[in-house]
């Protein structure tokens, strides 16, 4: 194949992805090898790719591609989540645009629309992941509403119910009036906001006296069924046993006593609305109070709202305050900072509501999950600081409200056979339910059985994900489940550490008796360079596909990963992707340079090339050790940076320069073979991060068969290496850099040979002497006992190197230049020494800062000595 002069990502990405798919490199089946398994955090079925997905899935692809190269049977299971609330909301909005009201449809009719929507838009995000290079086993793609996945969810519900862990209760729940469903406590986000505190006056029955009560929600007075005072509050002791009149409603309610009342808050007494506040409900139950629910499911007022019936709660809040003021029942209004709960999905303000719901007891289920992460270390969170978040959630866990007032999702498998709240049976199928119901009432028929209309919480399906994708719930003895489970790594965001991660751990121990994964890598949020969270409303979230088109998938992957340390937020800037593209171009040009050399078998390998090959092999092995360490600690950014430096600095800037033949001259076959081997090893290390570029180069290096494609080649083997070889070259590289600096500053052409002399106080290593001669274009290098007059000089550690001045140098101009540099350096030294002589600075600055200043001082003193020596030699 001819090698294009420039690397063009657009022309090769589809080619290689299609090639990988055609040869089924991504597909996995159980075999003799050790499995390495990842399950994708399933994105919403109707979602589209955003920057968070890009980061998360790039990390997963790096892990899975590396595992494949290391000889594991790598299996990455993709899929999507049905996302009950989000998807149903989109379908309802679509129907509304078409003039169709959900309330006018049967469940079956609505689900038909929902499936049409899902079939049309579902899976788009998975196709987009292919553009990124995601090497998922697409044959195993799962959807949480697939028949077998739904069957797993239903079986889990029935099993937990039969174990006495699922129950039905009439509880105060979090109600989302926009989605018209309950939410679990964890799906409510609390935000502080400025509101108002209304001081309302209730008339005491049979007197002209009023009692004033502070509330943030005046609209709920229409549901008041008592006023509560603290029995120890002497201010209200005369009201014990009395009654008050609710303004507007003119309903008489009792004044009750309870030490729950905080005498210091507001006016020291409170109105009790058992239907609309969880604490008021507890008071209501304790004192046997009436319950008056004033809201419809959409948070408009019902008939108990009197003249406000049909109006939104927030509209009524303003209007009722005005009416209370006109009636003389509003004493005052104050500003008030309070926490308001909002739906995580719809952002609607949550309404506490009494409702019959299904709950899962968590107290005992959670114990193995606490032990696995916080005690036994069976499951590790990266970064470890998230252990504290995990501990907080699980040690304060409450029963999980698992029912949702939605149609899109798995319908709760409870079947009612009578009008009583307890007249139900739980079974996987209607046929089984009928059999159970007949045991309670032989007259029951299939027609009289009524299935609970609610759907299960989406998380109640996704908590089974690592097991269900392998059929582990329905067929726990099947070969796939026994081979691939438990999985190895989970990559996800810390925002769903409780919603999903903790619950999967709970489910894993409940159903499989073991952990679902060993390691959890928690990524940070992708923010813009102003540290703002990316969102459509801010217009700061770039389209990932546009970035891929502009910079190439490999460029975007590198740009993201170089700035993505585990758990820390990423300050995204397109410049990062541009850097990634620049890196790809650098590698491509290095490859073209090597492939452009003429190879001659008969040429002997130069000594400089033999040393260079040994050095790069050592450098590769050193980097390999660091890479393995960083992968073990899930420092993927550090691992990539190590490879980046190996490629850019060691391979391109040094190694290729060391072995490069003279202009228009051939290279010896032995060195060329070593260069190709080095290039191939570099491609293997880079492949997980830059799969398209590396496969393209790999296939250009030599003719390959499908069995020798890079994607399934072998990760470089770790071998012992000579660390001294690496440290020796670090010294030599400084000498070469010193020669190059003098050539540049004195305008000495690179092709002009020079002599060099060294005053050797360091016992400088001689291993790389041939490299020094070649890269410095040095004709002779000799040792001297004292400083050389009339020569340019530079220092490396305590060694001083001298380059005799040729007649081409303008002594006067050089003296002026060195004098200017000397004066500047002396000024710099003075400022550093002033800092170090400042006792306050030395006492207060961190040790690292002090050490850095002392290093600046030492460097400046050495530089001054060198310049003064150079000036002396010019006289």
């Amino acid at each position: 194949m001819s090698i294009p002069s420039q690397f063009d990502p657009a022309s090769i990405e589809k080619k290689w992805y299609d090639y990988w798919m055609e040869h089924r490199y991504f597909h996995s089946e159980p075999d003799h090898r050790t499995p390495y398994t990842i399950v994708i955090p399933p994105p919403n079925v109707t979602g589209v790719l955003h920057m968070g997905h890009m980061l998360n899935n790039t990390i997963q692809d790096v892990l899975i591609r590396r595992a494949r190269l290391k000889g594991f049977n790598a299996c990455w299971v993709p899929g999507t989540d049905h996302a009950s609330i989000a998807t149903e909301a989109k379908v309802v909005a679509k129907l509304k645009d078409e003039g169709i009201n959900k309330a006018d449809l049967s469940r079956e009719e609505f689900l038909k629309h929902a499936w049409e929507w899902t079939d049309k838009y579902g899976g788009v995000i998975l196709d987009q992941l292919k553009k990124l290079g995601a090497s998922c086993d697409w044959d195993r793609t799962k959807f949480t509403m697939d028949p077998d996945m739904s069957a797993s969810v239903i079986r889990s519900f029935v099993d937990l119910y039969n174990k006495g862990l699922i129950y039905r209760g009439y509880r105060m729940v979090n109600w989302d009036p926009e989605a018209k469903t309950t939410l679990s406590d964890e799906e409510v986000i609390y935000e502080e906001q400025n509101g108002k505190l209304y001081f309302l006056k209730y008339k005491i029955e049979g007197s002209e006296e009023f009692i004033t009560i502070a509330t943030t929600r005046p609209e709920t007075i229409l549901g008041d069924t008592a006023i509560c005072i603290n029995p120890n509050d002497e201010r209200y002791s005369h009201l014990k046993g009395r009654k008050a009149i609710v303004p507007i409603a003119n309903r008489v309610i009792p004044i009750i006593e309870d030490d729950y009342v905080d005498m210091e808050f507001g006016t020291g007494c409170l109105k009790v609305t058992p239907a609309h506040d969880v604490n008021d409900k507890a008071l209501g139950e304790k004192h046997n109070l009436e319950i008056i629910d004033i809201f419809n499911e959409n948070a408009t007022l019902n008939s108990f709202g009197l003249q406000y019936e049909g109006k939104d709660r927030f509209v009524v809040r303003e209007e009722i305050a005005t009416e209370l003021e006109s009636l003389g029942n509003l004493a005052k209004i104050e500003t008030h900072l309070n926490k308001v709960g909002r739906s995580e999905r719809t952002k609607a303000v949550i309404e506490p509501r009494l409702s019959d719901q299904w709950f899962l007891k968590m107290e005992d289920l959670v114990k193995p999950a606490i032990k696995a992460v916080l005690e036994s270390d069976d499951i590790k969170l990266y970064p470890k600081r998230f252990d504290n978040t995990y501990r907080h959630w699980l040690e304060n866990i409450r029963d999980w409200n698992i029912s949702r007032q939605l149609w899109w999702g798995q319908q709760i498998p409870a079947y009612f056979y009578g009008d009583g709240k307890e007249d139900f049976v739980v079974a996987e199928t209607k046929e089984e339910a009928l059999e159970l119901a007949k045991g309670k009432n032989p007259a029951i028929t299939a027609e009289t059985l009524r299935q609970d209309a609610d759907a299960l919480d989406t998380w109640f399906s996704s908590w089974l994900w690592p097991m269900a994708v392998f059929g582990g719930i329905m067929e726990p003895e099947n070969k796939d489940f026994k081979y691939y489970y438990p999985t190895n790594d989970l990559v996800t965001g810390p925002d769903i550490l409780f919603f999903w991660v903790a619950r999967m751990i709970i489910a894993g121990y409940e159903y499989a008796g073991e952990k679902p994964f060993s390691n959890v890598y928690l990524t940070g949020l992708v923010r813009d360079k102003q540290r703002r969270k990316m969102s459509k409303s801010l217009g700061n979230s770039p389209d990932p596909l546009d970035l891929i088109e502009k910079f190439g998938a490999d460029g975007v992957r590198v740009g993201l990963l170089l700035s993505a340390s585990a758990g820390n937020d990423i300050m995204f800037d397109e410049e990062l992707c541009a850097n990634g593209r620049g890196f790809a171009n650098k590698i491509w040009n290095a490859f073209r340079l090597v492939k452009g050399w003429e190879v001659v078998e008969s040429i002997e390998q130069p000594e400089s090339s033999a040393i260079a090959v040994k050095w790069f092999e050592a450098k590769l092995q050193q980097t390999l050790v660091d890479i393995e360490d960083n992968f073990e600690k899930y420092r993927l950014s550090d691992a990539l940076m190590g490879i980046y430096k190996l490629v850019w600095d060691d391979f391109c800037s040094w190694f290729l320069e060391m072995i490069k033949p003279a202009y228009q001259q051939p290279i010896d076959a032995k060195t060329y073979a070593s260069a190709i081997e080095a290039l191939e090893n570099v491609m293997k290390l880079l492949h997980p991060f830059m799969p398209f570029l590396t496969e393209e180069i790999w296939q250009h290096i030599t003719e390959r068969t499908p069995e020798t494609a890079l994607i399934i080649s072998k990760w470089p083997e770790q071998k012992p290496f000579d660390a001294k070889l690496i440290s020796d070259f670090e010294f030599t590289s400084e000498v070469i850099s010193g020669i190059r600096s003098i050539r540049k500053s004195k305008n000495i052409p690179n092709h002009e040979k020079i002599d060099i002399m060294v005053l050797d106080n360091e016992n400088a290593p001689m291993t790389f002497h041939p490299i020094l001669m070649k890269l410095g274009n040095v004709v002779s290098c000799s040792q001297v006992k004292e400083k050389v007059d009339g020569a340019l000089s530079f220092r490396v550690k305590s060694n001083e190197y001298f380059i005799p001045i040729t007649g081409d140098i303008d002594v006067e101009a050089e003296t002026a230049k060195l004098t200017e540099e000397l004066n500047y350096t002396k000024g710099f030294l003075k400022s550093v020494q002033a800092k170090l002589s400042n006792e306050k600075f030395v006492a207060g600055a961190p040790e690292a800062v002090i050490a850095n200043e002392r290093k600046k001082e030492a460097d400046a003193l050495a530089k001054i000595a060198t310049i003064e020596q150079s000036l002396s030699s010019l006289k």
Side-chain angles (χ1 to χ4, degrees), residues 772-790:
L772 172 65
M773 303 295 281
K774 177 178 180 179
L775 297 188
N777 199 10
V778 175
V779 67
S780 69
C781 179
S782 57
Q783 290 197 16
V784 292
K785 299 288 186 181
E786 55 188 30
K787 297 179 186 296
V788 179
D789 292 331

mmCIF file of all heavy atoms in Angstrom, residues 772-790:
data_model
loop_
_atom_site.group_PDB
_atom_site.id
_atom_site.type_symbol
_atom_site.label_atom_id
_atom_site.label_comp_id
_atom_site.label_asym_id
_atom_site.label_seq_id
_atom_site.Cartn_x
_atom_site.Cartn_y
_atom_site.Cartn_z
ATOM 1 N N LEU A 772 26.982 11.035 21.040
ATOM 2 C CA LEU A 772 27.389 12.425 21.206
ATOM 3 C C LEU A 772 28.105 12.918 19.956
ATOM 4 O O LEU A 772 27.826 14.022 19.463
ATOM 5 C CB LEU A 772 28.305 12.542 22.435
ATOM 6 C CG LEU A 772 28.990 13.883 22.663
ATOM 7 C CD1 LEU A 772 27.963 14.960 22.960
ATOM 8 C CD2 LEU A 772 29.984 13.778 23.829
ATOM 9 N N MET A 773 28.998 12.120 19.443
ATOM 10 C CA MET A 773 29.752 12.505 18.253
ATOM 11 C C MET A 773 28.833 12.703 17.057
ATOM 12 O O MET A 773 28.990 13.658 16.281
ATOM 13 C CB MET A 773 30.801 11.436 17.930
ATOM 14 C CG MET A 773 31.784 11.150 19.062
ATOM 15 S SD MET A 773 32.842 12.551 19.458
ATOM 16 C CE MET A 773 34.043 12.446 18.141
ATOM 17 N N LYS A 774 27.837 11.807 16.920
ATOM 18 C CA LYS A 774 26.952 11.878 15.757
ATOM 19 C C LYS A 774 25.980 13.048 15.859
ATOM 20 O O LYS A 774 25.866 13.870 14.929
ATOM 21 C CB LYS A 774 26.166 10.571 15.612
ATOM 22 C CG LYS A 774 25.158 10.604 14.457
ATOM 23 C CD LYS A 774 24.420 9.280 14.286
ATOM 24 C CE LYS A 774 23.433 9.388 13.128
ATOM 25 N NZ LYS A 774 22.701 8.124 12.883
ATOM 26 N N LEU A 775 25.244 13.144 16.994
ATOM 27 C CA LEU A 775 24.192 14.162 17.101
ATOM 28 C C LEU A 775 24.763 15.562 17.305
ATOM 29 O O LEU A 775 24.120 16.547 16.957
ATOM 30 C CB LEU A 775 23.228 13.813 18.236
ATOM 31 C CG LEU A 775 22.433 12.512 18.075
ATOM 32 C CD1 LEU A 775 21.376 12.389 19.158
ATOM 33 C CD2 LEU A 775 21.762 12.443 16.698
ATOM 34 N N GLY A 776 25.977 15.636 17.884
ATOM 35 C CA GLY A 776 26.598 16.950 18.045
ATOM 36 C C GLY A 776 27.417 17.341 16.830
ATOM 37 O O GLY A 776 27.920 18.460 16.756
ATOM 38 N N ASN A 777 27.560 16.388 15.881
ATOM 39 C CA ASN A 777 28.452 16.552 14.728
ATOM 40 C C ASN A 777 29.833 16.980 15.213
ATOM 41 O O ASN A 777 30.404 17.982 14.782
ATOM 42 C CB ASN A 777 27.895 17.549 13.714
ATOM 43 C CG ASN A 777 28.548 17.380 12.351
ATOM 44 O OD1 ASN A 777 29.278 16.405 12.108
ATOM 45 N ND2 ASN A 777 28.312 18.320 11.455
ATOM 46 N N VAL A 778 30.344 16.172 16.146
ATOM 47 C CA VAL A 778 31.635 16.449 16.789
ATOM 48 C C VAL A 778 32.710 15.609 16.105
ATOM 49 O O VAL A 778 32.553 14.398 15.950
ATOM 50 C CB VAL A 778 31.563 16.108 18.294
ATOM 51 C CG1 VAL A 778 32.923 16.283 18.957
ATOM 52 C CG2 VAL A 778 30.507 16.973 18.979
ATOM 53 N N VAL A 779 33.801 16.252 15.723
ATOM 54 C CA VAL A 779 34.863 15.530 15.045
ATOM 55 C C VAL A 779 35.840 14.935 16.063
ATOM 56 O O VAL A 779 36.438 13.888 15.830
ATOM 57 C CB VAL A 779 35.601 16.433 14.031
ATOM 58 C CG1 VAL A 779 36.370 17.547 14.709
ATOM 59 C CG2 VAL A 779 36.499 15.621 13.132
ATOM 60 N N SER A 780 36.004 15.622 17.218
ATOM 61 C CA SER A 780 36.879 15.073 18.255
ATOM 62 C C SER A 780 36.398 15.547 19.613
ATOM 63 O O SER A 780 35.869 16.641 19.744
ATOM 64 C CB SER A 780 38.333 15.526 18.039
ATOM 65 O OG SER A 780 38.451 16.908 18.298
ATOM 66 N N CYS A 781 36.569 14.672 20.603
ATOM 67 C CA CYS A 781 36.180 15.005 21.975
ATOM 68 C C CYS A 781 37.327 14.588 22.887
ATOM 69 O O CYS A 781 37.670 13.404 22.957
ATOM 70 C CB CYS A 781 34.888 14.281 22.354
ATOM 71 S SG CYS A 781 34.350 14.616 24.047
ATOM 72 N N SER A 782 37.958 15.573 23.524
ATOM 73 C CA SER A 782 39.133 15.265 24.347
ATOM 74 C C SER A 782 38.962 15.848 25.746
ATOM 75 O O SER A 782 38.197 16.784 25.948
ATOM 76 C CB SER A 782 40.392 15.850 23.689
ATOM 77 O OG SER A 782 40.228 17.244 23.498
ATOM 78 N N GLN A 783 39.691 15.243 26.686
ATOM 79 C CA GLN A 783 39.638 15.720 28.058
ATOM 80 C C GLN A 783 40.774 16.704 28.300
ATOM 81 O O GLN A 783 41.861 16.571 27.751
ATOM 82 C CB GLN A 783 39.735 14.559 29.040
ATOM 83 C CG GLN A 783 38.494 13.678 29.053
ATOM 84 C CD GLN A 783 38.425 12.796 30.289
ATOM 85 O OE1 GLN A 783 39.131 13.034 31.265
ATOM 86 N NE2 GLN A 783 37.559 11.800 30.240
ATOM 87 N N VAL A 784 40.474 17.720 29.133
ATOM 88 C CA VAL A 784 41.493 18.717 29.496
ATOM 89 C C VAL A 784 41.555 18.797 31.012
ATOM 90 O O VAL A 784 40.624 18.411 31.723
ATOM 91 C CB VAL A 784 41.161 20.105 28.903
ATOM 92 C CG1 VAL A 784 41.278 20.087 27.390
ATOM 93 C CG2 VAL A 784 39.771 20.570 29.335
ATOM 94 N N LYS A 785 42.681 19.312 31.513
ATOM 95 C CA LYS A 785 42.896 19.405 32.952
ATOM 96 C C LYS A 785 42.466 20.753 33.517
ATOM 97 O O LYS A 785 42.281 20.912 34.712
ATOM 98 C CB LYS A 785 44.382 19.173 33.283
ATOM 99 C CG LYS A 785 44.911 17.798 32.856
ATOM 100 C CD LYS A 785 44.357 16.711 33.742
ATOM 101 C CE LYS A 785 45.015 15.361 33.400
ATOM 102 N NZ LYS A 785 44.446 14.280 34.252
ATOM 103 N N GLU A 786 42.373 21.773 32.617
ATOM 104 C CA GLU A 786 42.004 23.100 33.087
ATOM 105 C C GLU A 786 41.154 23.795 32.025
ATOM 106 O O GLU A 786 41.007 23.299 30.909
ATOM 107 C CB GLU A 786 43.258 23.918 33.381
ATOM 108 C CG GLU A 786 44.216 24.000 32.202
ATOM 109 C CD GLU A 786 45.531 24.657 32.572
ATOM 110 O OE1 GLU A 786 45.939 24.544 33.749
ATOM 111 O OE2 GLU A 786 46.146 25.270 31.692
ATOM 112 N N LYS A 787 40.604 24.949 32.412
ATOM 113 C CA LYS A 787 39.718 25.673 31.517
ATOM 114 C C LYS A 787 40.457 26.061 30.240
ATOM 115 O O LYS A 787 41.647 26.344 30.275
ATOM 116 C CB LYS A 787 39.176 26.932 32.202
ATOM 117 C CG LYS A 787 38.314 26.624 33.424
ATOM 118 C CD LYS A 787 37.833 27.906 34.067
ATOM 119 C CE LYS A 787 37.096 27.617 35.376
ATOM 120 N NZ LYS A 787 35.873 26.852 35.169
ATOM 121 N N VAL A 788 39.719 26.104 29.134
ATOM 122 C CA VAL A 788 40.315 26.411 27.828
ATOM 123 C C VAL A 788 40.040 27.867 27.495
ATOM 124 O O VAL A 788 38.883 28.303 27.462
ATOM 125 C CB VAL A 788 39.725 25.496 26.733
ATOM 126 C CG1 VAL A 788 40.322 25.842 25.372
ATOM 127 C CG2 VAL A 788 39.978 24.034 27.083
ATOM 128 N N ASP A 789 41.103 28.623 27.319
ATOM 129 C CA ASP A 789 40.937 30.028 26.945
ATOM 130 C C ASP A 789 40.485 30.138 25.496
ATOM 131 O O ASP A 789 40.818 29.290 24.658
ATOM 132 C CB ASP A 789 42.268 30.784 27.131
ATOM 133 C CG ASP A 789 42.651 30.896 28.604
ATOM 134 O OD1 ASP A 789 41.716 30.910 29.444
ATOM 135 O OD2 ASP A 789 43.861 30.947 28.901
ATOM 136 N N GLY A 790 39.774 31.228 25.220
ATOM 137 C CA GLY A 790 39.353 31.501 23.844
ATOM 138 C C GLY A 790 38.375 30.477 23.309
ATOM 139 O O GLY A 790 38.388 30.189 22.112
#
